[in-house]
Amino acid sequence: MSKENLISQKNIKLNMSRRIRRTPFTNKVEECGVSDFTVVNHMLLPKGFKNTVEEDYWHLREQVQVWDVSCQRQVQIKGPDAEKLVQKMTPRSIKKMETGKCFYIPIIDETAGMINDPVLLKLDDDMFWISIADSDILLWAKGIALGSKLNVEIIEPDVYPLAIQGPKSEDLLISIFGQDIKKLKFFNFKVFDFLGTKQIIARSGYSKQDGFEIYFKGFETHFNETELGEKLWDTIWENGQKFNISPGCPNLIDRIEAGLMSYGNDFTRENNPLECNLEKYCKQEDDHDFIGKEALRKIQSDGIAQKNERNIV
Ligand code: THG
């Protein structure tokens, strides 16, 4: 990032309000010496700490980091038509998706333009979380549900993903949550106990290294949200000392090497999923109805003019 991009260069500050939300971990992130934030889904996302992007990259590849990625908001779709609505939103078939699985799904509009590229979690036959990139999917989902008269309830629950990434993440989480962490396969989740509360943990994350995401929630517990969030952060931090833990955030070098793209930065509604290298989630044999199907099939038969290749390294 060039220095000119930072508004602080001119000593101008970004004014906080309820529209730019803090997270249950923001106090801890500040204590750890965060140097700058960005805003994603109307919520703070730390962008850097004391080290350079290169130093952070090598630390992520060799050790373990804790990332406040609460801005990966969950759009909860619940009710008898939940599956029907989610399926309408993506070219990827979810027919065979089982409870406890995560699916990376493109969401497109009627022109096959990318609207978002979230991780979908199936919590139950009638309940999904859409773990979104930076666009207002709750409004899109509500519009579709209303227009199609679907029987669903759509909310943004108070869930704040905390990512533990890096080769030592498994040993760190075993030391806190036990040996069952080992049994978690990539893009699967299970419920784990933390101080008598139930927390969903998935083996996933926005890095090329091994890692986990704790979908932290403070509701339905006898704790205050920030109090419980800070206890979780402190537990990870204290247990992480012997694994050389650092605070971190999605790392640009690692992300680009992994071919993990960022909505709004690397691609927008101007791009279709084929240009974004997401054709494996747009199989022609997945013949369910979804928004943008006609436009997508036309692009699939006509071919594309540009492509963002992944895994070049
Ligand atoms: N974690 C969660 N939510 C998120 C992100 C995340 N929401 C926004 C953003 N990140 C979504 N982007 C991606 C992109 C790729 C992957 C995860 C999130 C990813 N893909 C697997 C891969 O490329 O190997 C494929 C998974 C599959 O086949 O289904 O990991 O990071 N909670």
Side-chain angles (χ1 to χ4, degrees), residues 72 92 104 117 131-133 187 205-206 213 215 260 281 310:
Q72 294 168 180
R92 182 167 182 185
Y104 178 48
D117 70 326
S131 182
I132 59 174
F187 262 50
Y206 206 44
E213 292 179 301
Y215 288 78
L260 298 170
Y281 308 117
R310 73 190 302 200

Side-chain angles (χ1 to χ4, degrees), residues 91-108:
R92 182 167 182 185
S93 174
I94 60 162
K95 204 160 91 188
K96 294 191 182 136
M97 187 178 192
E98 292 161 5
T99 297
K101 295 271 176 198
C102 310
F103 271 22
Y104 178 48
I105 57 166
I107 295 183
I108 57 174

Side-chain angles (χ1 to χ4, degrees), residues 51 114 118 139 169 219 280:
N51 299 330
M114 290 294 296
L139 301 178
S169 58
F219 60 87
K280 67 175 167 178

Side-chain angles (χ1 to χ4, degrees), residues 141-295:
K142 278 181 88 79
I144 299 167
L146 271 173
S148 312
K149 297 194 167 50
L150 296 177
N151 185 1
V152 286
E153 179 206 57
I154 302 171
I155 60 162
E156 184 187 309
D158 294 326
V159 171
Y160 304 88
L162 188 65
I164 318 296
Q165 304 285 301
K168 296 183 180 171
S169 58
E170 185 181 67
D171 284 340
L172 169 54
L173 288 204
I174 287 172
S175 77
I176 300 169
F177 298 102
Q179 290 295 329
D180 277 357
I181 285 288
K182 242 194 181 117
K183 294 187 202 145
L184 261 186
K185 296 204 185 92
F186 184 60
F187 262 50
N188 282 246
F189 68 83
K190 283 201 173 79
V191 176
F192 289 82
D193 177 88
F194 179 68
L195 301 177
T197 71
K198 289 186 173 135
Q199 304 295 341
I200 286 177
I201 304 184
R203 191 180 280 251
S204 58
Y206 206 44
S207 87
K208 194 188 190 177
Q209 315 308 323
D210 191 15
F212 299 83
E213 292 179 301
I214 306 173
Y215 288 78
F216 167 72
K217 67 178 173 77
F219 60 87
E220 292 166 356
T221 73
H222 50 285
F223 291 95
N224 152 299
E225 186 173 87
T226 303
E227 182 195 358
L228 186 62
E230 293 188 349
K231 279 183 198 294
L232 178 62
W233 179 284
D234 287 343
T235 304
I236 291 164
W237 191 252
E238 282 152 24
N239 284 272
Q241 291 312 307
K242 56 181 174 295
F243 301 105
N244 199 12
I245 196 170
S246 256
C249 55
N251 183 277
L252 195 60
I253 301 171
D254 172 80
R255 179 171 86 60
I256 298 298
E257 273 190 2
L260 298 170
M261 285 179 300
S262 163
Y263 187 67
N265 286 319
D266 306 329
F267 66 109
T268 68
R269 206 147 43 82
E270 300 294 311
N271 302 111
N272 63 61
L274 308 180
E275 292 173 330
C276 303
N277 222 332
L278 301 177
E279 60 266 33
K280 67 175 167 178
Y281 308 117
C282 303
K283 294 197 181 110
Q284 307 238 19
E285 60 265 31
D286 288 348
D287 210 33
H288 61 277
D289 274 328
F290 58 89
I291 291 168
K293 183 172 178 181
E294 212 178 308

